[in-house]
Amino acid sequence: MPENKKITPQKPDPEEEKKKQQQMQRRMSFSVSYLLVGMVVLWLFQEFVLTPMLIQASEIPYSEFKQKLADNQIVKVTLRDNDIIGEMKNPTPNATPATIPFETIGNAESDPKLVEQLQSAGVSFDFQRPPSPIGSFFVAYLLPLLLLGGFWYLMYRRTTGGAGGGLGSIFGVGKSKATEVKAEDVGVTYKDVGGADEAIGELQEIIQFLKTPEQFAKLGGRIPKGVLLIGPPGTGKTLLAKATAGEAHVAFFQTSGSEFVEMFVGVGAARVRDLFEQARKAAPAIVFIDEIDAIGQSRAGAVRIGGNDEREQTLNQLLAEIDGFQTTHIAPVIIMAATNRPEVLDPALLRAGRFDRQIAVGNPDLTGRLQILKIHSKGIKLAPDFDWERAARMTPGFSGADIANVMNEAALLAARRNADSVTLADFESAIERVVAGLEKRSRVMNEDERRTVAYHESGHALVAELVPHGDPVSKISIVPRTRGALGYTMQMPTEDRYLLTMEELQDRIAVMLGGRAAENVVCGEISTGASDDIMRATELARRMVTEFGMSEKLGSVRYAGQQLQYLGGAVEDSSNVSQETREIIDREVQRLVTEQYERAQNLLREHRAALEKLTQLLLAKETVDGSAVKAALGKG
Ligand code: ADP
Ligand code: ZN
Ligand code: MG
C-alpha cells in the first residue's frame, strides 16, 4: 500500500486546464471564422459576378417574336446557334427601363426570311459564335476555385509572415500567443525559489549580461543565447525562468511549446517569428518556452502519427530565429526553455549557439525543502513550535510543487478543525492526504476484512523494522482512504538517498511483500489486497535485472528500452532482446521476488507474537505511530 515515495499531482492544475480550454476555443473560433468568411466570399461571388452574367431574359414564343418584329417593337438581336436573344421595347410606354431583354428559340436557318425582315425593320443585329465550352467551365467552376485559392494563398502568405498581409491578418492566427510581462510586473525573484542554488548560480551570468550587456560586448565574448532548464515536473523550472526575469529586471515573454502546434502548417512558424519580433522590440527581455518538447521533438527516430510538417516547420523556424538574431548589447534577448523530457529533444536544438546552456533542476534536498517550506508558509500562521526541520524530513522525494501543495493542504486541515495555527500534525496529515487520499471513514468494512487489513499492514511495518536497511515506520493506519487503499504503512527515510545497493533494494521488495506474507502466515490464505504491492515489487525487481545489472545470470547488460530520465522507468522496448534472454529475465525477476517473499514470511514467523500484538493494537486504535512497532518487537 502507498509508501511515502512519490506522489502524483492530485488534481489537474486549474490554470493549465483553463489555458487548454482557451486554446481549444481559439482554435474552434478560428476554423469557424474561416468557414464563415469562405461562405461570404462564395455568396458575394454568386451574387455580384455570376448572377449578372447569367441574368435570365424572359423567354417568349417565336410567333410572338415575329409579331413584335412586325410591330417594330424589337430594338436589337443577336442570332445564336439555337436561339435568339435581344432587346425589345418595354410594353408599358415611358417605363424604365425602356427596353427589356428577351430570348426565343429559333435560328436563321429554320427561318430563312428572318435576316431580310430584320434588315427591313431596321433592327441592329449580329451573329454569335457558339459559346466555347472551356469558357463556361471557366466561369462556373474555375473562377470560384481560383478566388478561393487566392484567398487561401493570401492567408498563407500572411501566416508565414511573407509580404502578404491583407485578408489573413483579420484572424491574427500568426500572432504569437505569448503573454508579455513587463519588467516591473514580473514580481518574483530568486527569493521565491528554494533549493535551486546551483541553477541560480549558473543563471547569474545571464543576469549579468541582461543587466550590463555593454560590459560583455567590450570583451567580445559570445553570450549564450539559449538556456534549457531540465528537470522533473514541479521542480520550479517555470518559476525559475520568471524569477530570472525578475532578478534582471527585464520583460518576460512566456509561452508554451504546445501553443505553436496548430492544425495549419505554417502557423506555428509564423508565431515563432512574431514572438521574436515582439521580444526584440521589448529588449532587454527573456523569451521563455515552457514544455519545449512539444515542438522540439527529435525529427528522426520516433514514428509519429499524422503529419509532422507543422511541427517540423515550427522547429525549423525556431532554429532559424535562434541562429538569426544576434544577442547584441543593444537589444539583448535571452531564450529560456524548459522540459522534463530532454531525451526526446532534437539534437539540433542542443548544439552550440542554441540551447547550449543546460541547467538541471532536480528535486530539492533537505535544505532545499526547508527553504521551500519557508517560502510557502509565508502567508500561513504556523504553531510556534512548528518543527521546520522535521517537516522537511517528512517530505523526501517531494518536488517544490508537492511541498507547496502539502503546505496548503495543512492550512486547509487546520482551518477545518477550527484551529488558529497549523501544527506539525496537520502537516503530517496533509502528507497522508496527498499521498493516499482522504480518509473515508464512511466505508464500512466487516470484521474479517478489518482483521486482514490489520495483519497486512502490521506485516509491512514489522518487515520494515526487521530488515537491516528498512526505512523506519512513522505511521500505520487501517482507516480506508478515498484513493482506494484500505490501510497504509508510511515509512520515513532518515536521509535522502541517491544510490541504493542491491541489498537495500532487496529489503525494499521484502517490505513491499510483507503485507501479503503476513496474510499467508496468519491465515494461510491470501487476498486481493496486495495487488499494488505485487506490482511495485515486480517492477523494482525487473529494473534490478534489466537496468541495474543486478542479476548474476544476465550480468551488467542493459535490457530495458530507452530511459525516460525524469518520468520514471523506461520505455518498453525489448526489440533487441532475444527470446531466450527474455525468458531468463522473467525467471530472474520471479526468483528475486519469490526469494524476498519467502524471507518476509520467515521473518514474520519468527516474530509471530509481535505480529499478533501489533495487529490487536491496530484493530483497537486504527492508527498507530512508529514507536508501536518497536514496542511490539520489544525494542524500547
Ligand atoms: P515546473 O515548471 O518545473 O513544472 P513550476 O515552476 O510550474 O514547476 O512550479 C509550480 C509551483 O510549485 C510554483 O509556482 C511554486 O509555487 C512551487 N515550486 C516549485 N518549485 C519550487 C521551488 N524550488 N521553490 C519554491 N516554490 C516552488
Ligand atoms: Zn500492502
Ligand atoms: Mg512548468
Side-chain angles (χ1 to χ4, degrees):
M1 274 156 213
E3 192 196 357
N4 176 21
K5 279 283 131 50
K6 255 212 179 103
I7 64 175
T8 36
Q10 280 239 71
K11 2 179 171 47
D13 184 359
E15 231 166 86
E16 288 275 298
E17 287 280 290
K18 222 168 85 191
K19 252 200 222 157
K20 264 189 203 147
Q21 260 181 4
Q22 277 176 353
Q23 212 171 322
M24 276 295 289
Q25 273 172 359
R26 264 189 240 134
R27 245 180 243 192
M28 277 292 291
S29 65
F30 170 70
S31 19
V32 168
S33 57
Y34 176 71
L35 201 78
L36 279 178
V37 170
M39 279 163 68
V40 167
V41 165
L42 255 179
W43 175 75
L44 286 175
F45 176 77
Q46 296 265 351
E47 192 67 20
F48 295 105
V49 183
L50 219 48
T51 326
M53 285 168 77
L54 301 178
I55 228 163
Q56 289 293 304
S58 60
E59 195 178 315
I60 54 172
Y62 195 69
S63 56
E64 191 182 335
F65 165 64
K66 293 289 275 202
Q67 186 60 46
K68 298 253 183 203
L69 186 59
D71 294 348
N72 265 330
Q73 293 292 306
I74 302 297
V75 183
K76 72 178 205 197
V77 295
T78 302
L79 303 173
R80 305 201 296 193
D81 250 14
N82 301 312
D83 60 356
I84 298 163
I85 56 170
E87 284 171 22
M88 58 184 182
K89 287 186 185 145
N90 202 330
T92 38
N94 296 328
T96 47
T99 60
I100 54 171
F102 74 90
E103 182 182 10
T104 185
I105 310 295
N107 54 21
E109 257 162 66
S110 57
D111 185 1
K113 278 193 226 134
L114 179 61
V115 175
E116 222 172 276
Q117 285 168 354
L118 283 169
Q119 257 168 348
S120 59
V123 175
S124 88
F125 70 96
D126 54 12
F127 294 89
Q128 198 186 56
R129 231 182 282 134
S132 121
I134 296 174
S136 61
F137 174 76
F138 177 81
V139 167
Y141 298 99
L142 226 47
L143 200 61
L145 262 178
L146 281 178
L147 270 174
L148 269 177
F151 174 67
W152 181 256
Y153 177 70
L154 272 177
M155 264 193 46
Y156 180 80
R157 282 273 294 272
R158 157 71 207 171
T159 53
T160 50
L167 283 167
S169 62
I170 301 168
F171 312 116
V173 275
K175 284 254 180 309
S176 147
K177 290 180 176 171
T179 45
E180 181 187 355
V181 185
K182 296 235 158 55
E184 53 273 23
D185 301 330
V186 172
V188 284
T189 63
Y190 287 157
K191 279 202 219 68
D192 302 294
V193 188
D197 296 343
E198 292 89 357
I200 289 175
E202 290 196 53
L203 286 165
Q204 287 306 328
E205 186 189 25
I206 303 290
I207 294 175
Q208 278 308 317
F209 168 65
L210 286 169
K211 272 184 164 167
T212 53
E214 321 79 50
Q215 204 155 347
F216 283 77
K218 222 166 32 194
L219 298 174
R222 195 177 56 81
I223 295 304
K225 287 178 187 170
V227 178
L228 183 63
L229 300 171
I230 303 175
T235 44
K237 299 182 294 295
T238 309
L239 184 67
L240 205 53
K242 200 166 180 190
T244 306
E247 288 285 332
H249 207 75
V250 297
F252 184 64
F253 288 84
Q254 181 172 8
T255 184
S256 164
S258 59
E259 304 211 322
F260 295 108
V261 184
E262 283 281 354
M263 61 183 158
F264 296 106
V265 174
V267 173
R271 287 197 181 139
V272 169
R273 204 167 353 203
D274 188 54
L275 173 62
F276 280 87
E277 226 158 78
Q278 279 184 42
R280 259 177 298 234
K281 270 184 218 148
I286 289 178
V287 171
F288 178 60
I289 306 173
D290 214 346
E291 320 289 351
I292 196 174
D293 41 278
I295 40 170
Q297 274 191 24
S298 182
R299 287 165 289 188
V303 188
R304 268 173 274 120
I305 303 162
N308 310 341
D309 277 12
E310 165 65 351
R311 201 190 299 267
E312 227 159 83
Q313 274 206 23
T314 309
L315 177 57
N316 287 338
Q317 186 62 40
L318 183 65
L319 295 179
E321 287 293 335
I322 297 174
D323 286 342
F325 84 74
Q326 293 299 316
T327 34
T328 56
H329 62 284
I330 303 156
V333 175
I334 295 282
I335 315 159
M336 293 182 80
T339 182
N340 45 34
R341 302 169 64 203
E343 63 277 344
V344 305
L345 287 186
D346 198 294
L349 264 179
L350 305 177
R351 81 149 171 61
R354 290 169 181 166
F355 288 106
D356 47 2
R357 280 302 143 95
Q358 287 151 36
I359 300 181
V361 188
N363 279 334
D365 57 9
L366 186 63
T367 21
R369 294 201 298 273
L370 195 64
Q371 288 170 12
I372 297 172
L373 268 175
K374 292 200 166 152
I375 291 167
H376 284 283
S377 57
K378 269 193 193 121
I380 291 171
K381 198 158 180 293
L382 293 175
D385 61 343
F386 189 87
D387 188 345
W388 294 97
E389 175 91 19
R390 233 187 101 69
R393 275 193 193 286
M394 280 186 210
T395 49
F398 280 40
S399 69
D402 296 336
I403 294 172
N405 185 16
V406 168
M407 199 70 213
N408 187 49
E409 287 288 334
L412 295 181
L413 284 174
R416 199 187 262 192
R417 62 176 180 88
N418 282 326
D420 46 29
S421 63
V422 179
T423 64
L424 197 64
D426 292 321
F427 190 79
E428 202 172 351
S429 314
I431 294 178
E432 282 166 38
R433 187 168 167 176
V434 168
V435 174
L438 271 179
E439 284 187 354
K440 193 173 177 188
R441 289 192 183 269
S442 59
R443 173 180 272 160
V444 187
M445 292 206 294
N446 71 33
E447 231 8 73
D448 271 357
E449 275 176 3
R450 276 190 78 224
R451 262 189 57 227
T452 308
V453 173
Y455 276 121
H456 182 106
E457 297 307 332
S458 301
H460 280 308
L462 286 174
V463 175
E465 197 63 45
L466 288 167
V467 294
H469 305 288
D471 288 328
V473 175
S474 64
K475 196 164 189 176
I476 321 167
S477 160
I478 56 164
V479 181
R481 295 270 157 173
T482 45
R483 231 36 103 72
L486 298 176
Y488 68 93
T489 303
M490 199 153 102
Q491 286 174 271
M492 206 58 85
T494 40
E495 55 191 347
D496 295 352
R497 296 301 307 270
Y498 301 100
L499 279 178
L500 291 165
T501 64
M502 182 161 158
E503 278 183 16
E504 285 167 323
L505 292 177
Q506 285 172 336
D507 283 0
R508 284 198 177 178
I509 296 180
V511 175
M512 289 171 191
L513 296 172
R516 159 156 292 205
E519 289 179 40
N520 195 28
V521 165
V522 176
C523 320
E525 210 176 37
I526 48 180
S527 73
T528 55
S531 67
D532 187 52
D533 297 339
I534 292 172
M535 188 187 80
R536 290 192 307 130
T538 312
E539 211 169 89
L540 182 52
R542 186 167 287 275
R543 290 191 72 184
M544 286 170 70
V545 173
T546 61
E547 287 179 46
F548 309 145
M550 286 178 175
S551 152
E552 260 171 41
K553 280 214 185 97
L554 290 160
S556 301
V557 175
R558 181 184 178 84
Y559 296 103
Q562 184 201 19
Q563 180 87 35
L564 285 178
Q565 222 167 317
Y566 293 113
L567 301 178
V571 180
E572 195 68 49
D573 169 32
S574 37
S575 47
N576 47 13
V577 178
S578 72
Q579 187 57 41
E580 296 89 78
T581 312
R582 246 177 273 181
E583 276 166 25
I584 302 177
I585 293 174
D586 289 341
R587 246 178 284 136
E588 284 293 277
V589 170
Q590 198 206 4
R591 181 183 59 81
L592 270 173
V593 172
T594 318
E595 271 176 15
Q596 295 312 313
Y597 182 50
E598 295 295 336
R599 182 168 164 228
Q601 288 191 62
N602 289 335
L603 281 172
L604 292 173
R605 279 199 198 98
E606 258 172 62
H607 296 87
R608 187 59 220 271
L611 178 59
E612 204 60 45
K613 208 164 146 191
L614 188 58
T615 304
Q616 292 311 326
L617 190 68
L618 254 180
L619 283 171
K621 292 172 74 173
E622 287 202 326
T623 303
V624 301
D625 65 18
S627 59
V629 185
K630 287 200 166 67
L633 284 168
K635 302 186 197 171

